[in-house]
Amino acid sequence: MIEAVGAKGYTIVPNVSGKGNRGIRDEAHLSDVFRNVMIIVVAAEEIVRRIVEQSQPLLENYAGIVVVSDVEVIRDEHF
């Protein structure tokens, strides 16, 4: 979906741990089913809007958080 809406790439950070409203999440799971990952996308505002729109149906069935933030890219030819 990320590539389909026009983003040139993304980064996946596996085994993300932390604490939130559901308690502590760490890597001590019996299988990969409950592992958390972080997906980072740097893209133009129009592409970000498409990602946010298309992620909404996914969030109805799966746990997840979508965060949108302004960033400053030094080598913008890559994005």
Side-chain angles (χ1 to χ4, degrees), residues 19-50:
K19 183 178 178 187
N21 67 345
R22 295 184 178 164
I24 294 174
R25 297 289 301 233
D26 58 25
E27 21 181 296
H29 297 291
L30 297 175
S31 73
D32 288 340
V33 174
F34 298 107
R35 301 252 176 178
N36 286 335
V37 300
M38 180 186 310
I39 303 171
I40 302 169
V41 180
V42 177
E45 189 172 348
E46 179 181 319
I47 293 169
V48 171
R49 274 194 237 117
R50 288 187 219 142

Side-chain angles (χ1 to χ4, degrees), residues 27-77:
E27 21 181 296
H29 297 291
L30 297 175
S31 73
D32 288 340
V33 174
F34 298 107
R35 301 252 176 178
N36 286 335
V37 300
M38 180 186 310
I39 303 171
I40 302 169
V41 180
V42 177
E45 189 172 348
E46 179 181 319
I47 293 169
V48 171
R49 274 194 237 117
R50 288 187 219 142
I51 291 170
V52 170
E53 288 172 10
Q54 292 195 22
S55 67
Q56 296 310 303
L58 294 171
L59 296 174
E60 291 176 12
N61 297 310
Y62 300 97
I65 300 170
V66 177
V67 177
V68 178
S69 178
D70 289 333
V71 298
E72 182 177 351
V73 177
I74 305 304
R75 297 172 59 190
D76 62 349
E77 67 273 6

